[in-house]
Amino acid sequence: MLKLGALCMCGLLLLMGQQSVVIAADEAEQRPVRIAIVNMAGLLENAPQSKAADAQLKLDFVPRERRLEADQKAIRQLEDELSTSIQSGVLPDLEKVEGQRKLRDLQRTYAREMEDFREAVRLARDTAIGALQAEIVQAIVEVREREKIDLVLRESNYIVASDRIDMTAQVMQHLEQKFQAKAAATPATGKQE
């Protein structure tokens, strides 16, 4: 008797489940499918978050870049002085060898520091781009849900589309609003009261 009751209950649940699927399918049939496109490259380039990330990268790396430029200028100056002294023949052999060794050491150190600098910039840029892409994707998801869009295609995934379905401007506006809200919520640093 207990098994029969459980079997009837399972059948009833299955029937109800099929009914909700039919209802969901009917609602989907009543509403037309909405498709939109988005220009990710344009968002990555023009979003205020992108411009803020660029400014932060410059702020973080310009001092180190200037120091490397000064080091390079000093190396060139030492190279010119050594070359002039060698050509004039006034430099003793021991000082010539010592000067060349010092110049090679400086050039190697500079090359290592420059490579480290490039790697640090690349890593910071990649990290910033990854965070920006995640933020843009989240904004696309939020706009898609708000606008009840069924499918969003990236600009490289279609051949031609009308401007009517391009949601790039809406996503850009959403990103700008999020950026302004974040800026308003973040206390200004460096200001004295």
Side-chain angles (χ1 to χ4, degrees):
M1 186 75 164
L2 203 52
K3 289 183 181 180
L4 183 61
L7 189 58
C8 288
M9 189 62 120
C10 287
L12 182 60
L13 287 175
L14 283 173
L15 184 60
M16 288 177 66
Q18 288 176 347
Q19 188 177 15
S20 64
V21 170
V22 171
I23 291 171
D26 287 342
E27 288 176 7
E29 288 177 18
Q30 293 173 1
R31 187 172 65 89
V33 173
R34 295 192 62 206
I35 298 174
I37 58 170
V38 67
N39 183 339
M40 284 291 287
L43 292 172
L44 279 168
E45 185 176 329
N46 299 315
Q49 291 86 341
S50 175
K51 293 173 183 172
D54 284 343
Q56 186 62 47
L57 285 173
K58 286 179 184 173
L59 185 66
D60 291 346
F61 289 102
V62 164
R64 188 170 167 189
E65 183 179 31
R66 287 188 180 143
R67 186 180 53 79
L68 285 168
E69 288 172 356
D71 289 350
Q72 185 180 34
K73 187 176 180 180
I75 290 171
R76 283 188 191 142
Q77 184 177 357
L78 180 63
E79 193 174 37
D80 290 343
E81 290 172 3
L82 186 62
S83 178
T84 303
S85 297
I86 291 172
Q87 287 177 359
S88 67
V90 295
L91 197 63
D93 286 342
L94 186 59
E95 288 182 31
K96 176 179 147 183
V97 170
E98 181 63 28
Q100 289 172 334
R101 185 193 59 73
K102 181 180 176 184
L103 181 62
R104 276 193 309 273
D105 288 346
L106 288 172
Q107 289 171 333
R108 285 186 197 125
T109 301
Y110 173 78
R112 279 192 302 271
E113 289 177 358
M114 186 57 119
E115 184 60 34
D116 290 346
F117 173 74
R118 287 182 183 133
E119 181 65 20
V121 169
R122 186 195 60 75
L123 181 62
R125 186 175 6 110
D126 289 351
T127 301
I129 288 172
L132 179 60
Q133 285 175 333
E135 193 168 353
I136 289 172
V137 167
Q138 181 60 37
I140 291 169
V141 167
E142 291 167 2
V143 170
R144 184 199 68 78
E145 289 171 352
R146 183 183 70 213
E147 299 295 323
K148 295 179 177 41
I149 296 171
D150 299 303
L151 175 67
V152 177
L153 298 173
R154 176 180 229 143
E155 77 278 356
S156 59
N157 292 351
Y158 63 89
I159 296 173
V160 68
S162 74
D163 291 338
R164 187 172 62 95
I165 65 168
D166 189 350
M167 68 182 253
T168 305
Q170 292 170 303
V171 175
M172 182 65 79
Q173 182 181 19
H174 188 74
L175 285 166
E176 288 170 354
Q177 290 169 349
K178 287 176 78 172
F179 182 77
Q180 290 170 357
K182 185 178 178 182
T186 305
T189 58
K191 292 185 179 180
Q192 296 184 8
E193 297 179 37

